[in-house]
Amino acid sequence: MAQHALLRASETESARRSPGALDAYWSVETEQLLRQLNTSKTGLLSGEAAARCAKFGRNTLSAGSRQSAVRIFASQFRSPLVLILIFAAAVSGFVGEGHEAAIIGIIVLASCILSFTQEYGASRAMAALQQRISRKANVLRDGVERAVDAQDIVAGDVVCLSAGNLIPVDGVILESQDFNVSEAVLTGETFPVLKSPGRSAPGAGIAQRANAVFTGTSVRSGTARVLAVATATSTEFAAIASALERRIPETGFARGIRQFGYLMTEIMLAIVIVVFFANLMLARPLIESLLFSLALAVGLTPELLPAIISVTLARGARTMAANGVIVRRLDAIENLGSMDLLCTDKTGTLTEGVIHLDGWLDVEGNASDKVLLWAHLNATLQTGLKNPLDEAVAGAPLGDVVLTGFTKVDEIPYDFIRKRLSVVVLDDGGEQLLISKGAVQNILEVCDRVLGADGTPSALGAPQRLAIDDRFRRWSAQGYRVLGLAIRRFEGHSKFSRADEAALAFAGFLLFLDPPKMGVRETLAELAHRGIAVKVISGDNRYIAAHLAEAVGLRADRIMTGEDLSNTTKNGLFASVGKIDLFVEIDPNQKERIVEAFRRNGHVVGYLGDGINDAPALHEADIGISVDTAVDVAREAADIILLKQDLGVVVRGVDDGRRTFANTMKYISITTSANFGNMISMAAASLFLPFLPLLAKQILLNNFLSDIPALAIASDNVDADQLRRPRHWDIHFVRRFMIGFGLVSSLFDFATFAFLLFVMHATVTTFQTGWFVESLLTELSILLVIRTQKAFWVSRPSLLLAGLTLGIGLVAVTLAYTPVAPWFGFVPLPLPVLAGLVAITALYVVASEFTKRWLFGRGSRAGTRRPKA
């Protein structure tokens, strides 16, 4: 029912959409449609295409994802905390406290500017990175097929599609060959739909338009040329985009931030209400009590957290880009750092990925020029999905083999169900020859004869099948990728289809060698050292997978085949998946089941794939990883794009992700621990002192100054031991951390109160100035203590962080002696008072260091737990 409802919604929206596309174009004759679009089957001229793009706009659903500077700046004032402060300033001005209102306004503006510069810089950096992975498509321009940016396609273009392509336009099919399209994104239908040229009824719905294709759907198999009719916001996808937009699961990091926000909101509301009414009961002025309560709430809250997260993640993305990793979604950085299990194919990651044709053998295992000739014709004449095996065949030396005299008649493209590719050629004698190449077992399925060494066919019986299987196993165990090749002769056949792949004669074998990648054993050891287990998921047979696993240092004795998996229930797979290291002979749809089972076991799963058959698993994984050369579907499904298919790049990406997470957690830990203690101390002191311990403007200034060094946390150094294990958000640890350090901070705050009141007999302004200095110094000191789990004097902060911390510390000490001091109600402090405050701060640092060791010594680290692989 949901599927039908979606279709009806689509058709309703289609009827209402803007006239960017021709009405019911799927029901119009091709020649008429070409005339209406002023184009031809050979496509547009480059100049005409550029003119149409300039006139009608680019082929994109929005004008651009990057926000303007004005919009980002305006968004800073939508924060509830900022609105509270603006309200407080307005109230102050209304009751005649213009001086107070001006200071609050200046601090608010400075904080917003500080946040804006960070967020805008992050936005520009991400926009630049996104440009590096723009999608390409093949179109006919000037009568020649060429690759262009998919956003530059216009109505009237002829788009060339093959397996693995994401379809960039709505259009009609001009010509096709076994063209199957997955339309699940629009219709919800799981199975691919066969498409071909023709006409559909004017009132046909999306699912019934067999001659049309749509933006956002993907090619599963075959080839086609499509006339682009609708682009950008005129497409069916754009018409129902809000209903179809893929919901990205909330990451653990995002969930933690949300929970942290709830925690801080609860504490903030409690403080505001209690302190405000308590001060009213103590007969304090209404406006003064309100401003103090609001300032306490703002002082408690890490209001720069969004900007800190943005700049930290953006800096992480830039660093990862420099290391060959492009981030498509910023939240994915945290997931990459949290990953504890990586699923990957072997080709190109564990192996060199440069496949060589090492043998072309007949059924008896002898070198055969005829097998090489047939394989070369099959590989070079096919026009479907490009793959390294065909490239290896095409690049093999031909020697005495002669290719002349053959003309291509037809082809039956590869798909992931048949696992075969067939090409039909016409030789000099006028005989049609069908040449089929594919997985040995899949080739044998359509054979009933076998060619002897002399080329004479004979019946394919059980002994012959056994001999073929024996050779296949033996070569596979030696590390070879083995394909089978078969032929069938025809006369006068006009059109070929999958049904013609029958009664073939098994002709021989093709042996490919893809050796293990240099240094991959060491790279796998580095991943293991970082707490990441590697599982191999491959469509190859068990023998070659086991041989490779042994060669690179992985376990080869815990194997599950695709057949075993198909006979295993969902719960059975959940129970057994942790004991398996190699998944072999796996069908594309089974990859998703494996990833899902690992996730159910509590793992944060990364999946590395680059093929059309990897897209479901990339969607299912916590972190989908693909490569820049992957097919469109895989690239769009991935969160991370590698510019080089190398596990070493993944290792560096994991380290960058963990640094990003660690620095973000530093800010949260630092601000909550120091702010919580100081604000609680102020709230308590306001109930017992005959005056406010700090004025609202002093609290806001304190909060603003302490946030300046925090901006350097994004570039801070991270201890090596924080990169060794996956790290996850732990809100319970954050709460314990906040309370533990908050109590220590409050203890020394009360010691400061006692020192100022009972030892130094400070006046109101001296007390407020003294506690401002002590409060700011302790917040700066705790930054250096909490930023590392080691002793703070052992772990060196970045130069920027150290410089800003030292600079703000000097401001804290000298501010009371400057001309601006009266604006904030400060007075110069006597030297004994200043010396006492410095001594209290030093004792606070020592106590905080012991508290930190006690907390981390209890093993309550944020997210260092992980399930066993």
Side-chain angles (χ1 to χ4, degrees), residues 529-855:
H529 181 67
R530 287 162 175 77
I532 301 174
V534 175
K535 308 291 184 180
V536 178
I537 304 178
S538 175
D540 277 346
N541 66 76
R542 69 196 75 182
Y543 311 107
I544 188 172
H547 177 273
L548 176 67
E550 291 178 350
V552 299
L554 296 175
R555 291 191 63 167
D557 57 333
R558 305 198 301 184
I559 297 178
M560 175 178 282
T561 67
E563 183 179 1
D564 296 333
L565 182 57
S566 63
N567 295 323
T568 304
T569 64
K570 186 174 183 178
N571 289 333
L573 181 61
F574 169 73
S576 61
V577 71
K579 304 173 185 176
I580 308 299
D581 293 297
L582 301 180
F583 298 87
V584 298
E585 302 166 21
I586 296 297
D587 290 333
N589 292 334
Q590 293 177 323
K591 295 181 179 182
E592 186 178 12
R593 285 190 62 194
I594 296 168
V595 172
E596 180 189 18
F598 277 124
R599 291 188 67 203
R600 286 185 63 201
N601 268 272
H603 291 284
V604 177
V605 182
Y607 183 88
L608 174 56
D610 62 356
I612 183 174
N613 56 325
D614 293 310
L618 287 166
H619 275 296
E620 176 64 29
D622 293 288
I623 179 75
I625 309 170
S626 193
V627 294
D628 192 41
T629 55
V631 298
D632 295 340
V633 179
R635 280 160 47 99
E636 290 298 312
D639 305 298
I640 299 288
I641 302 293
L642 307 182
L643 299 183
K644 182 180 179 183
Q645 192 165 356
D646 183 359
L647 282 181
V649 178
V650 177
V651 172
R652 293 191 292 273
V654 167
D655 287 348
D656 291 333
R658 292 181 182 178
R659 287 190 187 95
T660 300
F661 179 81
N663 282 335
T664 305
M665 290 303 299
K666 284 179 188 179
Y667 176 75
I668 291 173
S669 299
I670 290 165
T671 55
T672 54
S673 58
N675 288 7
F676 181 75
N678 285 342
M679 297 307 116
I680 292 299
S681 302
M682 264 190 283
S686 69
L687 304 180
F688 300 100
L689 294 175
F691 54 87
L692 290 177
L694 281 182
L695 301 177
K697 57 189 175 184
Q698 294 170 344
I699 297 174
L700 296 176
L701 179 64
N702 181 296
N703 200 43
F704 173 72
L705 291 175
S706 64
D707 270 334
I708 291 177
L711 293 174
I713 288 176
S715 60
D716 189 27
N717 301 325
V718 177
D719 298 334
D721 56 358
Q722 291 185 279
L723 307 179
R724 290 177 185 162
R725 290 290 170 190
R727 295 173 58 82
H728 308 284
W729 183 280
D730 185 350
I731 190 64
H732 302 293
F733 177 75
V734 172
R735 186 184 294 113
R736 288 193 298 270
F737 201 86
M738 180 173 67
I739 294 174
F741 276 95
L743 290 175
V744 173
S745 177
S746 293
L747 178 65
F748 279 87
D749 286 339
F750 293 134
T752 303
F753 297 162
F755 169 73
L756 291 172
L757 290 174
F758 304 122
V759 176
M760 304 307 301
H761 303 290
T763 63
V764 172
T765 52
T766 301
F767 180 94
Q768 291 171 338
T769 304
W771 197 43
F772 174 89
V773 172
E774 191 271 347
S775 176
L776 189 52
L777 288 178
T778 55
E779 289 193 52
L780 297 173
S781 301
I782 203 66
L783 185 153
L784 298 177
V785 172
I786 295 179
R787 59 164 295 276
T788 175
Q789 295 179 12
K790 298 180 179 180
F792 75 90
W793 57 85
V794 173
S795 176
R796 181 178 300 175
S798 67
L799 289 177
L800 181 61
L801 179 62
L804 288 176
T805 303
L806 179 61
I808 297 300
L810 291 175
V811 170
V813 174
T814 60
L815 183 61
Y817 305 94
T818 65
V820 300
W823 298 359
F824 296 96
F826 296 143
V827 295
L829 294 175
L831 187 60
V833 172
L834 194 58
L837 295 176
V838 171
I840 292 173
T841 301
L843 291 175
Y844 170 69
V845 170
V846 173
S848 297
E849 182 67 31
F850 279 108
T851 303
K852 178 183 71 177
R853 295 189 185 187
W854 175 74
L855 277 172

Side-chain angles (χ1 to χ4, degrees), residues 97-415:
E97 296 289 340
H99 180 258
E100 185 98 357
I103 291 177
I104 294 176
I106 291 171
I107 294 175
V108 169
L109 182 61
S111 295
C112 289
I113 291 174
L114 203 61
S115 181
F116 161 74
T117 57
Q118 301 301 313
E119 193 170 333
Y120 182 61
S123 173
R124 294 186 63 187
M126 282 309 301
L129 292 177
Q130 290 291 344
Q131 290 299 316
R132 298 180 60 175
I133 54 172
S134 60
R135 185 158 56 92
K136 300 291 184 180
N138 290 332
V139 301
L140 293 180
R141 292 273 173 89
D142 306 313
V144 178
E145 183 175 335
R146 62 183 59 176
V148 302
D149 193 313
Q151 295 186 356
D152 292 333
I153 297 176
V154 296
D157 265 323
V158 175
V159 184
C160 304
L161 298 171
S162 60
N165 290 155
L166 270 179
I167 297 174
V169 296
D170 287 7
V172 295
I173 298 172
L174 299 178
E175 57 184 74
S176 67
Q177 177 70 44
D178 290 321
F179 190 59
N180 286 271
V181 176
S182 174
E183 295 184 334
V185 68
L186 290 180
T187 67
E189 176 58 52
T190 304
F191 297 101
V193 180
L194 180 64
K195 300 280 187 174
S196 59
R199 295 173 62 189
S200 299
I206 290 177
Q208 286 76 46
R209 299 174 199 169
N211 66 325
V213 295
F214 308 101
T215 300
T217 60
S218 59
V219 184
R220 292 293 294 175
S221 64
T223 58
R225 287 187 174 180
V226 170
L227 174 62
V229 178
T231 62
T233 55
S234 295
T235 61
E236 298 287 352
F237 187 87
I240 54 174
S242 59
L244 298 174
E245 186 175 2
R246 179 168 72 95
R247 290 182 61 84
I248 299 173
E250 186 179 40
T251 65
F253 183 75
R255 188 183 310 112
I257 293 294
R258 178 169 52 79
Q259 293 172 343
F260 175 69
Y262 292 156
L263 174 65
M264 298 308 294
T265 300
E266 292 169 1
I267 295 174
M268 183 177 69
L269 287 175
I271 288 179
V272 169
I273 294 172
V274 171
V275 172
F276 175 66
F277 285 103
N279 275 273
L280 287 182
M281 294 175 64
L282 293 173
R284 303 263 171 81
L286 173 65
I287 298 301
E288 187 179 82
S289 299
L290 176 62
L291 291 177
F292 178 74
S293 303
L294 294 177
L296 278 182
V298 173
L300 175 64
T301 306
E303 72 280 359
L304 286 185
L305 181 59
I308 294 293
I309 291 175
S310 295
V311 72
T312 304
L313 292 178
R315 185 182 186 278
R318 288 196 299 270
T319 302
M320 292 168 73
N323 290 328
V325 181
I326 303 296
V327 180
R328 295 187 68 246
R329 187 166 58 89
L330 278 180
D331 285 350
I333 295 178
E334 189 276 333
N335 267 0
L336 186 61
S338 302
M339 180 177 69
D340 59 62
L341 189 144
L342 175 64
C343 296
T344 178
D345 195 358
K346 61 183 187 59
T347 303
T349 51
L350 303 182
T351 66
E352 290 290 349
V354 182
I355 300 175
H356 307 281
L357 180 62
D358 209 53
W360 40 93
L361 313 173
D362 62 21
V363 177
E364 300 298 328
N366 303 311
S368 169
D369 286 345
K370 279 204 168 184
V371 170
L372 178 59
L373 168 64
W374 293 331
H376 203 278
L377 290 171
N378 177 284
T380 56
L381 296 180
Q382 72 96 8
T383 58
L385 182 65
K386 305 298 182 184
N387 65 83
L389 298 179
D390 285 327
E391 292 173 1
V393 173
L398 292 175
D400 297 330
V401 175
V402 179
L403 289 174
T404 58
F406 294 94
T407 305
K408 180 179 175 181
V409 175
D410 207 344
E411 72 175 281
I412 308 171
Y414 180 88
D415 65 57

